[in-house]
Amino acid sequence: MSGTLLRTARLDVRRWRDADAPRVLDLHSRPEVVRWLGDDVAPMRTLQQACERIAGDNGVADRPGRGHWAVEVRESGVVAGSVMLVGLPGEAELVQIGWHLHPDCTGRGYAREAAAAVLEHGLRQLPEVLALTHLDNYPSQRVALAIGMVDAGLTERWYAGPSRLFRAAP
Ligand SMILES: CC(C)(COP(=O)(O)OP(=O)(O)OC[C@H]1O[C@@H](n2cnc3c(N)ncnc32)[C@H](O)[C@@H]1OP(=O)(O)O)[C@@H](O)C(=O)NCCC(=O)NCCS
């Protein structure tokens, strides 16, 4: 389908659509999701914010090796969450991979399946991809390790407080 970046065994990694707005709002309005996403990210409140988010996330793909995509379960058409390759705060030439799932889609391997494909895509165009997690975000750390990233220890370089850093190179 047009706008599809990658197909994995179960998932389509694709551009966001306006029709995804209710799902985006459902995902980003959840404190249990946004508490892990950077410094003091406020939960989303309105469909208008979701539409703006969709436009912004689709706009990330304006540089090689960057993008912020929806992860759709092909069999059901449900958007499980998102995977992204985005610049680090204040150092946009450095790219981090990230992921988040709606709680109704965790525990099925969707994050690592989508992230593995997106990491491979990124490393075709980038010299290195990083990932940063809160120290106690063990589900996210398991995703990073499962897709072959290497634990590079703790850093306070990009976010307030310590993060655990993961690296991958071609
Ligand atoms: C981080 C996050 C995406 C991880 O989700 P997840 O469901 O644990 O990760 P996956 O989709 O890769 O699923 C892996 C789990 O599914 C299980 N699983 C079930 N079926 C599977 C399959 N077919 N293949 C692989 N794993 C499968 C695995 O055993 C694993 O569980 P475990 O870690 O308890 O062993 C999710 O917790 C989340 O969105 N959190 C909030 C946002 C967030 O923290 N984002 C990251 C910021 S750094």
Side-chain angles (χ1 to χ4, degrees), residues 99-117:
W99 36 72
H100 43 276
L101 294 181
H102 192 286
D104 68 14
C105 285
T106 56
R108 301 181 210 186
Y110 291 154
R112 61 193 62 182
E113 184 172 322

Side-chain angles (χ1 to χ4, degrees), residues 11 46 54 60 68 105 118 121 139 146 148-149 160:
L11 307 168
T46 67
I54 284 171
V60 172
H68 190 138
C105 285
V118 167
H121 165 80
M149 302 189 81

Side-chain angles (χ1 to χ4, degrees), residues 32-111:
E32 73 269 31
V33 173
V34 300
R35 69 178 285 243
W36 304 109
L37 308 183
D39 294 332
D40 298 325
V41 177
M44 196 176 273
R45 300 278 174 225
T46 67
L47 263 182
Q48 175 63 30
Q49 288 175 310
C51 292
E52 290 164 8
R53 173 83 197 218
I54 284 171
D57 286 350
N58 281 337
V60 172
D62 60 351
R63 292 181 62 185
R66 272 76 162 177
H68 190 138
W69 301 277
V71 175
E72 181 176 314
V73 181
R74 193 174 312 116
E75 189 176 44
S76 63
V78 168
V79 172
S82 66
V83 178
M84 70 222 69
L85 290 165
V86 294
L88 279 154
E91 286 188 275
E93 71 285 1
L94 292 177
V95 173
Q96 64 174 327
I97 187 169
W99 36 72
H100 43 276
L101 294 181
H102 192 286
D104 68 14
C105 285
T106 56
R108 301 181 210 186
Y110 291 154

